[in-house]
Amino acid sequence: MAYWLIKSEPDKYSWDDLVRDGRTIWDGVRNHSAAINLRAMKIGDRALFYHSNVGKEIVGVAEIVREHYLDPKDEAKRFPAVDVAPVAAVVTPVTLAQIKGDPFFADFDLVRLSRLSVATVGNAHWDRIMSLTNGLVQS
């Protein structure tokens, strides 16, 4: 299983929206590096759901439930989309300030490539973030 970070502006599509919908297409990605990451995602991979611009924090964990396919909104037919579903909210959101303040995350894509909307998350970074969340909300 691989780990990812997906960003969304909560006033456009929030964690609560994903929970309400139960599943959504992750589309609209037009950055080539982010598109490479979408193409690499496999069913069952996990993704940190990050609220960008407002909140700037990791608020949940999602699962990839459909591998890449052509983004139906991309008229040029060059960029992929995937489908994601919610796994669980985090008990304690992890803020960008926390991450930037921890030298352990100096090489983390969220810090290094801050504008990248779909980023890789290494196993060590995933484990550290999961420890900072104090676990997932059990439903």
Side-chain angles (χ1 to χ4, degrees):
M1 174 186 328
Y3 299 112
W4 310 93
L5 182 136
I6 54 177
K7 292 182 181 179
S8 183
E9 296 174 21
D11 56 339
K12 294 191 178 172
Y13 196 83
S14 70
W15 172 256
D16 289 339
D17 294 328
L18 179 59
V19 170
R20 179 198 64 225
D21 296 344
R23 178 182 180 137
T24 196
I25 179 175
W26 207 259
D27 60 0
V29 173
R30 298 298 181 262
N31 173 284
H32 289 283
S33 294
I36 289 168
N37 290 337
L38 285 176
R39 287 185 189 99
M41 290 177 170
K42 302 294 180 204
I43 291 173
D45 284 357
R46 295 287 169 103
L48 300 168
F49 194 104
Y50 177 83
H51 279 166
S52 61
N53 293 341
V54 178
K56 296 183 181 178
E57 59 191 0
I58 295 165
V59 295
V61 174
E63 182 173 344
I64 309 310
V65 294
R66 182 177 176 194
E67 293 179 16
H68 74 92
Y69 54 97
L70 282 179
D71 182 339
K73 294 179 184 172
D74 178 18
E75 294 177 10
K77 301 196 183 312
R78 295 184 329 190
F79 289 95
V82 299
D83 288 359
V84 300
V87 172
V90 300
V91 172
T92 305
V94 179
T95 68
L96 180 59
Q98 278 178 276
I99 291 169
K100 283 186 169 182
D102 185 341
F104 180 81
F105 290 109
D107 62 342
F108 187 41
D109 281 355
L110 181 62
V111 174
R112 287 183 336 97
L113 307 166
S114 62
R115 296 191 48 84
L116 195 60
S117 62
V118 179
T120 61
V121 177
N123 291 345
H125 288 143
W126 179 272
D127 291 343
R128 175 70 70 91
I129 289 169
M130 287 294 101
S131 72
L132 294 172
T133 68
N134 296 310
L136 302 177
V137 175
Q138 300 303 314
S139 41

